[in-house]
Each structure stands twice: as C-alpha cells, then as structure tokens.
C-alpha cells in the first residue's frame, strides 16, 4: 500500500474540513483507494486551533521551511487564500518537489504560469479542483471527462453568496441591501462583501474554467465584470412576469475560430433553463460541447466539507496516478496565438426606463433603437397593472420595459445613452442582459 | 507526441459517431492533448457502410483475430452491444494486451469480473464511461472526482426512452401505449422496447454505477426492477396536483454499515427536486456524498455523438495517463464481505384505489393501514372534482388516493392485498413509490 504524507497550510474553515475528512476517512481510503494518507504537518500560527482539532503538538509548525523540508510530507495543501503569503509558501513547496493541492482561485488565476513553471521543473503535481465550485468536480470534468469536445460555451452560477442573495430577493421581493445585511449577520456574506457581490470571486473562477475549457490562458483582466449591487427587486419581479429568473452568471464563449468572450454579470435566463432552478448557495456549470451537447454539473460551491472533498479528491488523484498532468495549453501566462477576446459581445437585453406619459415618446424610443439596428421582441408599457408603491415612486411617470433581439453590447450602450437624453424620458432605470 | 492506433468494432450508430469524432478532431487532440489518434482498423461485416464513412479499404476487416493482432492498434473500441460476439471480441483484445474501451453496459455488468481478470493479467486498460449515461462523465466522477466521499445514495434518470415517454405523458396527458407507438415511429424507442420500458437497461447501468459508488460489486440480479408499462396518465395527473412528477428512477442507497439497496422503478419526486426538471431524453444522476453533499450531473444519455464523446474521452484518458486503474474493490464478481442487499426497503407510497361510495369504507381502509403500522400523510377522496371520463369509467365508484409516511415495502404489499380483498373496494388501481 502506498503511503502519502500531507501538510496542511492554514487551519481555517477549509483547512479544518480537510483535516477532518482525511482523519475520519483514513481507513476508508486504505480500503477503497489502497493508499494510506496521514496528516504529517500543519502550518498554523494559532496553536490552540490546531490542538483543538486533535493534532499532535509535534506536527504543528509555524515555519514553512520546516514543513516543506519534512521528508514525511509528499503533498502540501494550501488553503490560506489570497496572494501572499500563500504564493511564497506554494512556491517553496513546489521548489522542494512537493505536490501542491490548492483551493486558492485568486493565486491560481493570477500566478498559474509561475507556479506551473516550477512544478514542471521539479516534477511536482499542481492540483486545483477546490479553486472552483467547491466539491463539484468541474475541473476534473474539463480535463478528463469532456476533453474529447471542442467546448463552445460555459455558463455558470459560480458564486454562492450572490446566488443566495438573488434567490432571497426573488422569493421574498426584498431589496439588495436588506438581504446583504441579513446574509452578513448569518455568516453567508463577508463583512466586506466586495469579492462576492462585485463579481471578483466569479471572475477568478471564470478565468480558470475558461482557460481549461478553451485550451488557452484567459487572463483575469480579459474578464468583463459587473456585480449585483445595482439590482432592483422590481426588475426581478418584472422579469419573472416575462418568464425569466435573474442570476449572476459567469459566461465563456468560444466561436472555435479564435474569438473568445468571458464575462461575469447579472443576467436573465428563461425559467425552464436548467440553471434557473439552481437556488440558494448552490452552484452549477452548464457546458456545451460539440459532441456531447449540453452537460450540467450542480452542487455546493463552498463550505468546509464540500471544498475539503475537492481537496482530498485531488490528494487521492495525485497519489494514485502515475504521472502528473499539467495544463493542456503551452503558455499559462499568455493567451494562445490567434485568440482574440471580444468586448463587444452579443446578447439580448432587458431595458426598463421611466417616461412621461405623453403620446409619441414610445415612437421616439423605437426610432433610436431602429437607428442602431436593434429590434425589439417585447414592448411592455406598465400602465394599468403598475403597483401603487411604484406609482408613488414615479409620480405620473410610467415605467416601460422592453426586450431586444440579439444585438451588440456597444449598440445597446449607445442607444441607451441616446434614449436617456430624450426629452420625455425621466430615467433609464436598468439594462440587464438576457441569455438564451 | 504519443501516437495511438484505434480499432472500432462495429460501425453502428455509436461506432459511426466515434469514427466521426476521432477523424474530425485529430488535429484538435494533437494540439490540446499532445496525442495523435488514428483509426487503424474497423471490424465491420457491412463493407459498404465502412466505405461510406470514408474508411480506407485496407483498414476494413471482418476478422477479429486480424484486428487484435494488428501491431498498429493500441486501443480497441467495442460498440457492438449485447453479450456475444462482443464478449469474445473484447476478451480477444484484452488477451492481446490491447486496452479496451466499451459502451456495452450489459456485457460489462454481467462479465466485469472475467474482463478485468484478463485486463489485469495483460496490463491492458479497461474503460467503460460510455456504458452509463452517454456523454455525462459520471463514471469519471465516481472514480476520480467524488472518491473522497462515502457515497450514501445515487438517484438517477438513466434511461432516455422512458424519460421521453413519461415526459410526453405528463405534458400531454397521453396514455403509455399511444406515446410508445409514436416514439417507435420516430425512432426514439426500439421495435422491441422491452430493454427500455421494462427497466433492464436502467438496471444494467445501476449495477455498474452502484458498484463504483459503493465500492462493492452489485450483481445485476440484486437490482429490483419494475418498468413503466403499467403507468396511467391519470396517476401522473393526480401526482401533479399533489406536487409530484413521475420518473423512472434508478436508486442506490448505502447505509454505510453494509446495507445496500438497488432498485429501478417508477417513482414520484417533488417538483422542486433537481431531478424533476430533467425532461425528454435527458438523463441525470443525483449523488449524495458524506463530505460533498448533493451533486448532480445532467446531460444526454444516448446518441451517436454524446456516447462517442464518452468513448473518445476514455481513449484520451487511457492514452495520456501512465498507469491503468482498475475497480476500487477487490472482487468484481461477488459483493464484498459483509454487504447485504435489502429487498424490504423503505419508501413513501402513493396508493390509488376505487371504492364503492359507501360510508365506512375509508374507516376500514384506515384500519388495515393501522394494523400494519403505516401512517397516512394525505387522504384524498376525489369526489366533486373527479372528471367525467373517470366517472364514466368508474360508474358510481369513487377513486381514493392516499400518500403514506415512510414505511416498509413489505408492509405496504401486505396492506394493499388486504385492502384489495375488502368488500367495498372495487380495485386497487396503483401503488407508486414516492421518493423524498
């Protein structure tokens, strides 16, 4: 039986979960995987925390050099998060020839190149299933399950906090601020919620997933990013009437000819789309491959045990496969030659504006759209059925909602700024993309 | 760059799809997988069919010995289906040390032991992702993605034909026979639909999936099996009123203490369960792991290209991983020691019966259930709202529907036979399990 010694860097939520899984399942892995995995070392400044988990005093260290020079350690698990000191620690482990398993999406999407370069040189493994979508084996699927396919698109709900907030706004008609405050009180959202609600976390993950799906480095700065702070529950309700659900989507598209688009933003999707029923803190990724067609993976995107499951899955994978596989594209720093990132992507759009109730205003609006070659699918003037709160807010003004056919982002932006400047338009309230 | 020669045994739907994927993606795999995969041989009696696909005359063979002795062939793809001659051909390939990739669920679930014994001896790979749920990487997930978990349960919609039939019965209120005839006319169901509608196909797949999930051989004969021929669209409609959708489910449960249950039968699931919206010929598998929680994989369960995608995924996996992995349990013929298969499983039940409209009958029925310790959640006497067609069918009799709490299968069977014998009971029309 193979024996594998593991070091865990950081005993936070995920580190603690990983320790628990490894120790409780040690016999199970001996029996089912023919591998004996023991935790040989933990790097943790807070000794009390380590002792409380039942870790022997002699295995607790506060010195990375000590951990990576320990001959009993084969695999180093990095679950500290953020760039430093995680990066220095991971590099130290790789330089020592230790295989690294990490859950660190920010580190990985920003420094993949640097890490992989060292890993290849020292023949160390570099595994990162836990960096994206918690326990859902999306990275294994892209590398080892759908690799026969040219992947045309990837659409994901890959941030649990924002999905929880949007689900509650949808179900209960509450405003963003109120739900965020409650989520913070319950520990579902961070005190500083920026990484989640402004889409950074989803952008990190999309950069990694799209790189794997499209076999080219997708740099973080190429990901268009828009968060959910501006979302009004009114738009969620109007969308629902029209058959849509609002989600924070991470979208990657690859036209096969070198044109790649990557974007994170709120979007409406049809209620009968498999992603529409992914609620609360659940995550899912919907993939379209040229041979396999539509595939979706669904599960918990975060949490001590789901993320720990992904980490331990990587440990077992590294321990039971002969050779380490690295990225399927040559340069993990720069996009492949010939790849262009599209910023003027195509979409359908939901647009809500408030107009003075005067004859002619809709004709003027229609004229602007016509000028930009944007055709309208649905044109809904909320008159009779407008609810009182909304009427009080808007005075005599009426809200108008329209949904466009597929058109270009830039055309819509130009048309919207023209419409906002029309005399009879009080305000353009919302512009929300509608995914097919 | 590694070069891999492939032989395809059988150019039917899946064989043709596999050939197409391999030839059209040859450059893509060279570029993204660093492997050059060429089709070096096909075994096909119908030479015209092979020539029509563009295969060189010199590569077409009708002799398995010739194929497996071809030194250019590294991997043999078996897509003939059924036991013989597929079994002899696969054994011939394995004896020659060729890695085998198969889509053959019947062969695999019945003769796993025999095949793996030879594969281990000759150090040949044995891959079978395509045997279950088409292009959905469920086998890779169980082996390489969720292996950190004790899997407690697996619930799948793993037969496309029956899901298509049930979806249409649900949407259009049509009867089973009518939808089956249409499905046959459209080619969605076989002329002899037994394998699909009687649950054999799902039982083959469940035997394989449960073996992997629970790390013990689950013999086919241990799978309880019931098909969808007896399903009435009336029950689908009543279930819908109660918040349920009817699906043919393949269910595996593992209590962690050696008790395993495996069963294929129609069942109601709640409308908000992720499996409830898996419609038409789509398939999905819902898994519960002790660390990861709920995970679902969704996609096309059949078809030339989806199944071909799984086959080519296995080819690439075999070509790019150093060592072959075999089953994670020692004996692929017999269950592990200590495993017991439960036949008296627990479930909730939907029961519909027709009673003479006489005072007292419901009390008698309730008495029978009480005797067997079965408690009733819902007791619905369809009186006023019973539709005319049903009334004409039933005369003065009234249909009664009830849903039980979780109870044992055997208790329900005994109670139902007692109820059927009551004087005022015309008939017990349906007994359908309700999954939580």
């Amino acid at each position: 039986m193979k024996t594998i010694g593991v070091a865990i860097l950081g005993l936070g939520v995920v580190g603690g979960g990983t320790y628990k899984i490894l120790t409780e399942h040690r016999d199970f892995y001996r029996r089912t995987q023919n591998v004996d995995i023991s935790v040989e070392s933990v790097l943790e400044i807070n000794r009390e925390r380590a002792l409380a988990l039942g870790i022997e005093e002699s295995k607790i260290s506060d010195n990375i050099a000590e951990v990576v020079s320990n001959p009993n350690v084969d695999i180093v698990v990095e679950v500290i998060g953020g760039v430093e000191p995680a990066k220095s620690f991971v590099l130290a482990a790789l330089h020592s020839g230790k295989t690294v398993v990490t859950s660190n999406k920010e580190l990985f999407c920003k420094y993949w190149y640097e890490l992989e370069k060292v890993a290849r040189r020292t023949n160390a493994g570099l595994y990162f299933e836990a960096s994206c979508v918690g326990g859902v084996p999306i990275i294994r699927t892209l590398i080892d399950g759908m690799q026969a396919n040219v992947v045309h698109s990837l659409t994901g709900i890959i941030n649990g906090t924002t999905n929880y907030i949007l689900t509650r706004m949808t179900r209960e008609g509450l405003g963003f601020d109120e739900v965020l405050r409650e989520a913070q009180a319950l520990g579902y959202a961070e005190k500083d919620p920026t990484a989640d609600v402004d889409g950074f976390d989803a952008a990190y993950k999309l950069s990694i997933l799209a790189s794997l799906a499209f076999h080219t480095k997708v740099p973080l700065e190429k990901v268009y990013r828009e968060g959910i702070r501006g979302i009004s529950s009114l738009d969620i309700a109007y969308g629902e009437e029209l058959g849509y659900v609002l989600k924070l989507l991470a979208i990657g598209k690859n036209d096969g000819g070198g044109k790649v688009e990557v974007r994170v933003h709120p979007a409406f999707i049809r209620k009968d789309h498999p992603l529409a029923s992914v609620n609360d803190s659940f995550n899912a990724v919907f993939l379209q491959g040229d041979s396999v067609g539509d595939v979706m993976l669904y599960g918990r995107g975060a949490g001590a045990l789901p993320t720990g499951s992904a980490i331990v899955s990587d440990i077992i994978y590294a321990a039971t496969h002969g050779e380490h596989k690295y990225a399927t594209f040559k340069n993990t720093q720069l996009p492949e030659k010939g790849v262009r990132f599209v910023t003027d992507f195509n979409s359908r759009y939901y647009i809500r504006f408030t107009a003075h109730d005067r004859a002619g205003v809709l004709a003027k609006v229609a004229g602007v759209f016509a000028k930009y070659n944007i055709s309208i699918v649905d044109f809904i003037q909320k008159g009779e059925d407008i609810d009182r709160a909304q009427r009080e807010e808007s005075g005599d003004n009426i809200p108008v909602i329209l949904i466009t056919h597929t058109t270009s982002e830039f055309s819509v932006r130009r048309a919207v700024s023209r419409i906002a400047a029309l005399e009879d338009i009080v305000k353009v309230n919302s512009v929300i993309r509608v995914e097919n």
Side-chain angles (χ1 to χ4, degrees), chain A:
Chain A
M1 188 176 300
K2 203 163 184 174
T3 61
I4 294 288
V6 169
I8 302 175
L9 312 186
L11 287 177
V13 172
V14 175
T18 301
Y19 179 78
K20 189 173 140 73
I21 294 172
L22 283 174
T23 47
E24 288 181 1
H25 292 71
R26 188 162 172 184
D27 280 338
F28 177 69
Y29 301 144
R30 279 199 193 111
R31 183 165 60 80
T32 60
Q33 304 292 334
N34 202 31
V35 57
D36 187 22
I37 306 170
S38 59
V39 178
E40 293 293 327
S41 174
V42 299
L43 184 77
E44 175 59 56
I45 297 165
N46 185 338
R47 293 180 81 80
E48 297 311 311
R49 183 185 285 174
L51 292 168
L53 280 169
I55 297 170
E56 289 168 43
E57 188 120 28
S58 66
K59 295 191 172 169
I60 308 168
S61 173
D62 56 7
N63 181 335
I64 184 69
E66 185 182 54
V67 172
V68 301
S69 64
N70 184 336
N72 296 330
V73 170
D74 304 291
I75 295 177
V76 173
V77 173
E78 185 276 304
V79 281
I80 300 164
V83 172
E84 281 298 350
K87 186 184 166 202
S88 305
F89 291 179
V90 166
L91 284 171
L94 293 172
H95 276 297
S96 306
K98 312 288 190 195
T99 283
V100 167
V101 172
T102 179
S103 62
N104 194 329
K105 54 218 160 230
E106 184 180 358
L107 173 65
F108 204 80
C109 84
K110 290 181 177 168
Y111 298 99
W112 189 340
Y113 176 71
E114 228 174 294
L115 307 183
E116 185 163 313
K117 202 171 60 175
V118 179
R120 284 180 187 262
R121 204 173 61 221
T122 63
N123 197 28
L126 183 56
Y127 295 89
F128 50 100
E129 179 67 80
S131 68
C132 296
V133 205
V136 177
I138 179 67
I139 287 177
R140 194 77 71 234
T141 293
L142 287 168
I143 294 176
D144 278 336
M146 279 182 61
Q147 80 282 45
N149 290 264
V150 176
V151 176
H152 290 311
S153 78
L154 177 164
T155 311
I157 296 172
I158 58 178
N159 177 271
T161 304
T162 48
N163 203 42
Y164 171 83
I165 292 173
L166 292 174
T167 301
R168 289 205 55 199
M169 288 175 72
T170 302
R171 283 195 188 136
E172 300 164 46
L174 301 172
F176 170 80
D177 292 327
E178 188 178 348
V179 177
L180 174 62
R181 269 194 307 273
E182 280 192 41
Q184 285 171 318
L186 292 165
Y188 295 162
E190 308 270 344
K191 222 169 170 179
D192 175 0
T194 309
D196 292 316
V197 303
D198 293 322
F200 290 99
D201 175 83
Y204 297 151
K205 294 170 183 166
L206 180 59
S207 158
I208 297 171
L209 295 176
S211 297
L212 292 171
F214 304 149
H215 303 279
T216 180
K217 173 66 180 174
V218 174
L220 180 61
E221 60 272 19
K222 295 295 182 188
V223 179
Y224 173 83
R225 185 187 46 74
E226 211 174 276
I228 64 164
R229 284 188 203 265
I231 294 298
S232 148
S233 55
L234 210 57
D235 289 313
I236 294 179
Y238 286 144
E240 202 164 11
E241 279 179 39
L242 297 165
Y244 295 104
V245 180
L246 191 83
K247 296 289 181 189
L248 180 67
L249 295 185
I251 298 168
K253 292 187 182 173
N254 170 20
D255 79 343
K259 257 170 67 178
V260 168
E261 62 185 74
V262 273
R263 43 194 170 103
V264 170
H265 54 67
F268 280 120
I269 47 171
R270 288 215 58 86
K271 274 182 197 171
D272 57 2
H273 191 286
L275 286 171
S277 45
V278 176
N279 287 318
D280 303 309
S281 63
F282 276 95
N283 280 196
V285 180
F286 186 85
L287 298 154
Q288 294 185 301
D290 66 343
S291 299
V292 75
D294 297 349
V295 166
M296 189 174 83
L297 279 77
Y298 164 97
R300 294 232 169 255
L305 295 181
T307 308
S309 165
I311 287 170
V312 177
S313 160
D314 272 351
I315 293 173
I316 295 171
Y317 189 96
T320 60
H321 284 79
E323 300 161 23
H324 299 303
K325 271 182 95 170
Y326 301 102
T328 58
F329 43 99
K330 290 179 198 85
N331 191 334
T332 48
Q333 183 176 33
L334 299 169
E336 300 286 284
K337 264 185 202 155
V339 169
R340 283 167 304 126
F341 291 93
V342 181
T343 48
D344 185 15
F345 49 83
N346 289 321
S347 180
R348 293 161 68 223
Y349 292 82
Y350 160 105
I351 300 167
R352 174 165 66 93
F353 55 89
T354 309
H356 292 303
D357 193 2
R358 282 187 208 153
V361 58
L362 294 188
K364 280 185 204 161
V365 167
V368 173
F369 281 113
K371 187 176 144 65
Y372 289 98
N373 274 317
I374 298 167
S375 47
I376 308 299
V377 183
D378 257 327
F379 215 136
I380 303 131
Q381 185 172 341
K382 304 296 283 189
E384 298 306 300
D385 62 336
I386 177 172
D387 69 33
R388 208 171 37 190
Q390 165 69 356
R391 183 174 288 283
E392 275 164 14
E393 184 196 301
S394 60
D396 275 341
N397 305 318
I398 53 154
V400 179
I401 291 160
L402 58 85
I403 293 193
T404 73
H405 270 293
T406 301
T407 179
S408 95
E409 173 85 9
F410 288 1
S411 299
V412 165
R413 289 189 193 174
R414 280 189 287 258
V416 164
S417 71
R418 289 287 289 267
I419 287 165
L422 288 177
E423 200 187 334
D424 297 326
I425 297 294
V426 182
K427 194 183 173 190
V428 175
N429 306 76
S430 337
V431 178
I432 298 173
R433 296 165 196 92
V434 179
E435 276 301 300
N436 285 321

